[in-house]
Amino acid sequence: MSRAYVVGSITIKDAEKWAQYVAGVPATITPWGGELMLRGRQAAVLAGQLQHDNLVVLSFPDLESIHGWYASPAYQVLIPLRDAAAIVDLTAYQA
């Protein structure tokens, strides 16, 4: 069974607000079968150029779950905090 992933590339603007946002996200992904796979800070650029210093990878059962999570009221309420805290590019991938 294939899974689907959300990859977030992130530049943090306000660490305190970012910590509040990060604390709120797990409760929004769990109902959709989502789980945090990776949260990290860039260690080295091996090829090319990166726009952001931080990365997050979330795993979901399928693309429908990703769309449900993103559109959910629980996550939508966090978006203004996310946008105040960081510049975030989110992309969905299917494996």
Side-chain angles (χ1 to χ4, degrees), residues 70-90:
Y70 192 83
S72 71
Y75 186 70
Q76 288 292 305
V77 75
L78 290 177
I79 290 175
L81 180 58
R82 180 196 74 195
D83 292 346
I87 299 166
V88 179
D89 295 329
L90 289 179

Side-chain angles (χ1 to χ4, degrees), residues 6 10 17-19 24 29 31 42 52 56 82-83 87 95:
V6 172
I10 305 148
K17 287 181 182 176
W18 183 251
I29 66 173
Q42 174 186 311
H52 301 289
V56 65
R82 180 196 74 195
D83 292 346
I87 299 166

Side-chain angles (χ1 to χ4, degrees), residues 5-11 18 21 36 38-41 52-59 69 75 82 86-93:
Y5 300 88
V6 172
V7 176
S9 298
I10 305 148
T11 297
W18 183 251
Y21 166 78
L36 174 67
L38 167 73
R39 181 182 296 122
R41 183 159 174 81
H52 301 289
D53 292 338
N54 294 277
L55 179 77
V56 65
V57 178
L58 306 174
S59 174
W69 160 72
Y75 186 70
R82 180 196 74 195
I87 299 166
V88 179
D89 295 329
L90 289 179
T91 309
Y93 295 89

